[in-house]
Amino acid sequence: MAELPNISFSKPSAPKKGIAVIFVDDTLALGATGSELDAATDGAITRAMKVAEFKGASMASLDIVAPAGVKVDRIAVVGMGKIAELAEYDWLRLGGAAMGAVSAGKAEHASFHLERADGEAVTAEQASDVAIGAKLRGYNFDKYKTPKKGEEKSKAKPKAAKVAVCVESHAAAADLWKTQEEVADGAILARNLVNEPANVLGTEEFAKKAKELEKLGVEVEILGEKEMAKLGMNALLGVARGSARPPKLAIMQWKGGKAKEQPVAFVGKGVVFDTGGISIKPAAGMEDMKGDMGGAAAVTGLMHALAGRKAKVNAIGVIGLVENMPDADAQRPGDIVTAMSGRTIEVINTDAEGRLVLADALWYTQDRFKPAFMINLATLTGAIIIALGHHHAGLFSNNDELSARLTEAGLATGEKVWRMPIGPEYEKLIEAKFADIKNTGGRPAGSITAAQFLQHFVNDLPWAHLDVAGTAMGSPESEISKGWASGFGVRLLDRLVRNHYED
Ligand code: BES
Ligand code: MN
Ligand code: ZN
């Protein structure tokens, strides 16, 4: 795998090798280093911008190869647009755009000359945000690609790029980066988990990954089939019946808060592969269902982030790991299971399996930990992609304050959520003929009835459900992601915790 970039911070100075990235606003005014380089190259930068009709638009970039008069091989110009209008997330995007220029040039050394054309100082926060964007953009999942014939191994696997962010506030930025890099690493962990194919990452392998968080001081327990049967988790266990892989429930605890402080809890759907079971899915696109553990991946990545940066919070992460397969022993449509809460569920469609897994994971979490709130993440419904596409996760909640906080954290981090309704009107749709509730409500309001179903298992705790079917996997390319697995949820929930639940 192409290694992730190695990022450091230093004071502004003339670039010496590799690629220099300079920034320009939409009036084409350059920062100090940019102006110096322009002078040293006899105006090559200004000329190149003119010839290419480069307008300094936000996130646009221009690559200039080997200008005479400087020591670097290339200069990349990245547009900042209207500097005064840059929002927090835009600084990540700038870092991503700059890293894009580094990767395109296959440069091993890069310096980002982080200066504003208006002479205002770039803050340490902004510099650290640029580094987050660069690191996330530098992520590739190419570990299964063998080098093409004739291509040297070293060429196909370039070394980690060394990126120096040159900024006045370098010392403070480096300090911030120590914690922020842990958050970026949490998102990268989530991406890796989502990208791994299901033959490599089954339930046991995923549980092992969760267990590895012990290195960071997270307490991790793994429950197996027997323990879960004892607890009465028949909704979760029913899903796992068709698979040769054993179900696992991973419970992660990060105790960074005060001893008696009530924890916050995050619960993830971890279906390592979703064939649909006996209600089998069509073949086209089924390969994407290796990502049906995107919720669990985000929870695992979040626990990495919180522990890595030693967040002052008590946080619980619970992930239900199963595989949904058809088999002689698989669950059937019409089967009735009794969840841990005691509620009976008629399984109308074995492909609506995520809510069955979460029913027991949510109930277990509130019952054991009595958290201040529960937030679950799940690639739960195709319908949320029809409703919101790939740019917002669906937010369903019984709590306005929690919803507002999530919405705000989403705007700050660029991991946006959009609140959808739930309510008693939708209950009728999941009333069952033969049990307390059924696991599907038909086509209308498909994402809402799924959320409505989950609400039966939260015991009136403040709760939010994030339907990440369109955002955690199959996500579009952006400045900070090459697409598909985005790591959605890690930065969002880390921010929620940082803003509201740390003392
Ligand atoms: N894992 C799928 C949802 C999904 C679809 C995630 C597309 C990502 C991309 C989920 O288990 C599922 O199959 N949901 C069904 C529910 C239906 C049977 C009520 C769906 O969305 O079709
Ligand atoms: Mn399904
Ligand atoms: Zn699923």
Side-chain angles (χ1 to χ4, degrees):
M1 194 154 16
E3 299 268 326
L4 288 158
N6 233 312
I7 300 173
S8 62
F9 296 83
S10 58
K11 60 174 185 290
S13 64
K16 288 182 195 68
K17 55 180 166 179
I19 182 167
V21 183
I22 57 177
F23 297 83
V24 69
D25 72 7
D26 65 347
T27 68
L28 294 191
L30 290 154
T33 306
S35 304
E36 280 164 30
L37 288 174
D38 200 33
T41 57
D42 206 10
I45 297 170
T46 303
R47 249 179 302 140
M49 289 196 291
K50 211 175 234 163
V51 185
E53 292 183 45
F54 184 79
K55 300 272 181 348
S58 180
M59 313 303 154
S61 72
L62 175 69
D63 194 23
I64 305 165
V65 182
V70 287
K71 290 182 179 154
V72 289
D73 303 323
R74 322 169 81 95
I75 296 173
V77 190
V78 170
M80 292 177 129
K82 290 191 185 5
I83 291 179
E85 288 174 15
L86 289 176
E88 180 188 336
Y89 178 55
D90 292 327
W91 291 92
L92 274 81
R93 296 174 65 215
L94 279 173
M99 192 61 210
V102 176
S103 314
K106 293 200 164 44
E108 277 182 24
H109 289 270
S111 49
F112 293 180
H113 299 273
L114 210 50
E115 293 146 358
R116 296 173 52 147
D118 62 3
E120 296 267 329
V122 171
T123 68
E125 284 80 11
Q126 289 162 345
S128 166
D129 284 342
V130 163
I132 297 175
K135 182 144 190 194
L136 291 176
R137 172 62 176 262
Y139 172 84
N140 266 312
F141 190 77
D142 53 9
K143 64 191 270 200
Y144 295 110
K145 292 206 187 246
T146 29
K148 286 196 192 82
K149 230 179 160 183
E151 226 175 24
E152 281 175 58
K153 248 199 144 118
S154 62
K155 243 191 187 168
K157 292 189 188 249
K159 282 197 215 118
K162 286 195 173 63
V163 176
V165 179
C166 304
V167 64
E168 288 292 353
S169 57
H170 60 96
D175 221 40
L176 266 176
W177 179 238
K178 274 188 217 137
T179 58
Q180 288 310 296
E181 187 169 26
E182 297 291 345
V183 182
D185 286 346
I188 285 161
L189 170 60
R191 286 181 183 181
N192 278 332
L193 291 167
V194 171
N195 277 325
E196 272 305 339
N199 61 328
V200 175
L201 192 84
T203 52
E204 289 173 297
E205 292 81 5
F206 197 138
K208 216 175 272 165
K209 290 281 179 192
K211 197 90 182 145
E212 281 174 18
L213 293 182
E214 283 179 342
K215 275 187 245 159
L216 295 174
V218 179
E219 292 172 25
V220 185
E221 298 160 63
I222 310 289
L223 304 191
E225 196 171 350
K226 267 199 197 128
E227 289 117 318
M228 287 191 273
K230 231 184 192 162
L231 288 161
M233 297 186 162
N234 301 305
L236 184 153
L237 292 174
V239 177
R241 287 180 57 149
S243 172
R245 267 98 166 253
K248 300 282 175 197
L249 190 81
I251 302 136
M252 301 165 265
Q253 297 190 59
W254 167 247
K255 296 175 177 167
K258 296 195 188 85
K260 289 257 158 68
E261 203 172 83
Q262 202 181 12
V264 296
F266 303 94
V267 179
K269 167 181 172 180
V271 176
V272 295
F273 195 82
D274 180 14
T275 64
I278 296 299
S279 313
I280 199 162
K281 287 181 180 298
M286 205 206 274
E287 68 277 11
D288 276 358
M289 286 303 126
K290 72 172 184 177
D292 208 19
M293 25 55 72
V299 170
T300 309
L302 173 67
M303 296 307 288
H304 177 109
L306 295 175
R309 70 173 180 81
K310 301 199 165 32
K312 291 195 177 73
V313 67
N314 294 330
I316 309 291
V318 175
I319 55 177
L321 301 168
V322 299
E323 184 174 44
N324 191 19
M325 297 285 270
D327 176 74
D329 196 39
Q331 154 165 280
R332 294 149 290 255
D335 282 5
I336 295 174
V337 293
T338 304
M340 182 185 172
S341 74
R343 207 172 291 270
T344 59
I345 304 165
E346 188 174 348
V347 178
I348 301 299
N349 188 321
T350 65
D351 196 12
E353 85 297 341
R355 63 199 77 181
L356 297 169
V357 173
L358 287 172
D360 284 334
L362 285 165
W363 187 264
Y364 174 83
T365 303
Q366 62 78 33
D367 183 54
R368 174 169 169 192
F369 296 107
K370 314 274 182 283
F373 66 72
M374 288 197 288
I375 295 176
N376 73 260
L377 300 100
T379 48
L380 204 62
T381 66
I384 203 67
I385 306 174
I386 305 302
L388 299 176
H390 298 279
H391 298 286
H392 286 85
L395 159 64
F396 303 81
S397 178
N398 58 5
N399 189 284
D400 291 344
E401 184 181 57
L402 189 56
S403 293
R405 289 175 172 181
L406 280 164
T407 302
E408 166 206 72
L411 290 172
T413 56
E415 296 190 331
K416 293 181 288 187
V417 301
W418 195 263
R419 194 169 182 187
M420 303 276 286
I422 48 173
E425 310 88 308
Y426 296 99
E427 272 304 312
K428 257 206 128 31
L429 296 172
I430 53 169
E431 271 173 20
K433 206 193 267 178
F434 297 110
D436 298 338
I437 46 173
K438 57 182 178 182
N439 78 330
T440 61
R443 277 171 62 81
S447 301
I448 301 174
T449 51
Q452 205 68 42
F453 180 95
L454 296 181
Q455 200 184 0
H456 283 273
F457 302 93
V458 303
N459 213 2
D460 290 332
L461 233 63
W463 155 80
H465 151 53
L466 299 175
D467 194 334
V468 295
T471 46
M473 53 188 276
S475 63
E477 276 181 36
S478 73
E479 289 84 6
I480 65 164
S481 166
K482 294 198 180 78
W484 212 70
S486 62
F488 187 98
V490 175
R491 291 186 302 106
L492 169 74
L493 297 173
D494 175 79
R495 180 59 60 93
L496 175 82
V497 168
R498 187 176 112 190
N499 281 359
H500 300 286
Y501 303 97
E502 285 187 73
D503 31 63

